[in-house]
Amino acid sequence: ITPYKYEDDNFTIQVPSQFFYEFLEEHYADIIYRALARVSENPNINLVYRAVVDSSSPRSRVTLPSERLERPDPRKMAKHLNQSPDDFAAWEPNINPHLRFNNYFEGSSNKAARTIALKVAQAPAKDFNPYFIFGACGVGKTHLCHAIGNQILESQPQKKVLYISAHLFQVQFSDAKLKNTSNDFVHFYQGVDVLILDDIHELAGKPKTQDAFFHIFNHLTLIGKQIIFTGDKAPAQIQGLEERLLTRLSSGLTLELQKPDLELRKKILCNKIKQDGLSISDDTIDYIAKNVTDHVRNLEGIITSLVAHSLVYQCKVDLELAKRIVEQTNNVQKKQITLEKIQDVVSNYFKVNISDIHSRSRKREIVQARQVAMFLAKMHTEYS
């Protein structure tokens, strides 16, 4: 990884493959941004990637175009709030151009959600508005959102499409409150044609932000604009959201993205392998697909690890290496505490049946076991 050039507020890092770009983006982008801003004394500096394969490398079979891979910069979103929503020339949709329908593979676990997403992209605000997609972490919700955004921008470039995470929405709202510009904040979002809000469950417990979003939602739906949400649960299961907002979220179509099935996992693996320029046997792909079942990020993480081992140790990617890495990954996952594990431990310790814990019984020993299980679930899982 080497510095390539610095000009026009753009600092370019040269990397040997797409793998390095993705790894830096996931783990170190914020740190690099802060370091660049501090050293250059330029708060508007942009980080750009240039992927070039070294011909002298033993992995010279990897062929990636020498192109700039620019990350969507959420800091640009703040600039929107100082502009008029009608200033189309300066519009930043915050859509990742690499996340599209053609690399979002279809399987039985995501067919319905993907099909409806494509219909929404082809005809925004016509039939499915709002469109709520929910599912566990890493099943492809964010990819699907960006795919919708890219499709709309291609077919209807005059549309003001905006993707934003609920976390960044909350940060912007807090900043607007401090600066006493809440009305400008709401007015800006009311000027959007297609609003994509990712991870709306992160607004739970933030009543003032929910109130601002409620007014934005009502205005956009009233004038026929498309709204797309994602969440980790169905609207009715999200705790901490106001009832009036929950009813709005449930007023359109809600679909679940499930964990990818075996055939879909194979498709995702093959695509990732092709991107990284690897050559992996079919039996190795089958082994990974059958043993890594949780979500897409785990699959991509396995391939990332294989690439890393191949680069660092200059070794061949084979079934033996795949088994070792998958075993290490699964050992880490087995250490995670689940609701099922908590129920088993609590029922054994208090010598009560799990069915009794779930019952309405108010016997002291069962109530105590139930409350301990609830406490441990709150402390050690993502559940409430």
Side-chain angles (χ1 to χ4, degrees), residues 105-312:
F105 301 103
E106 183 179 299
S108 59
S109 59
N110 66 7
K111 183 175 182 178
R114 186 186 187 280
T115 300
I116 297 300
L118 191 55
K119 289 184 178 296
V120 169
Q122 292 167 345
K126 183 180 179 181
D127 296 317
F128 309 104
N129 192 29
Y131 181 33
F132 193 104
I133 308 166
F134 74 96
C137 177
V139 294
K141 302 187 298 294
T142 299
H143 188 149
L144 198 55
C145 285
H146 285 280
I148 294 172
N150 277 308
Q151 181 81 7
I152 295 174
L153 289 172
E154 284 186 2
S155 60
Q156 304 179 60
Q158 77 281 4
K159 295 282 188 184
K160 294 187 180 75
V161 179
L162 181 61
Y163 166 89
I164 187 167
S165 67
H167 173 72
L168 184 55
F169 183 89
Q170 161 67 20
V171 170
Q172 289 180 351
F173 176 74
S174 298
D175 188 55
K177 290 286 289 183
L178 289 173
K179 295 178 180 178
N180 199 28
T181 58
S182 299
N183 289 338
D184 294 336
F185 173 87
V186 172
H187 176 65
F188 164 76
Y189 278 98
Q190 288 178 341
V192 175
D193 292 317
V194 179
L195 177 61
I196 305 171
L197 188 70
D198 204 0
D199 291 332
I200 193 171
H201 53 271
E202 293 193 11
L203 297 185
K206 300 177 175 65
K208 292 183 179 178
T209 309
Q210 290 179 39
D211 183 63
F213 182 74
F214 177 80
H215 294 296
I216 293 168
F217 181 98
N218 277 349
H219 179 83
L220 292 179
T221 52
L222 183 65
I223 61 176
K225 304 300 182 181
Q226 179 71 52
I227 307 177
I228 301 161
F229 302 103
T230 75
D232 60 353
K233 301 179 184 69
Q237 296 175 325
I238 302 176
Q239 297 184 1
L241 293 184
E242 295 180 3
E243 184 65 28
R244 61 174 184 170
L245 185 55
L246 285 175
T247 58
R248 300 302 193 281
L249 297 179
S250 304
S251 63
L253 178 65
T254 299
L255 286 178
E256 181 180 9
L257 273 177
Q258 298 175 343
K259 293 180 181 180
D261 56 35
L262 179 61
E263 290 305 314
L264 181 55
R265 295 199 296 272
K266 287 182 180 180
K267 290 180 184 178
I268 294 168
L269 281 171
C270 290
N271 180 66
K272 178 67 175 172
I273 289 165
K274 182 179 179 181
Q275 280 185 347
D276 289 336
L278 284 171
S279 177
I280 299 182
S281 64
D282 290 341
D283 59 339
T284 302
I285 294 174
D286 288 342
Y287 176 81
I288 297 172
K290 289 177 180 177
N291 289 276
V292 182
T293 60
D294 279 353
H295 48 67
V296 175
R297 287 176 189 154
N298 276 0
L299 290 171
E300 294 179 341
I302 294 295
I303 300 301
T304 298
S305 297
L306 290 173
V307 173
H309 278 75
S310 178
L311 285 170
V312 174

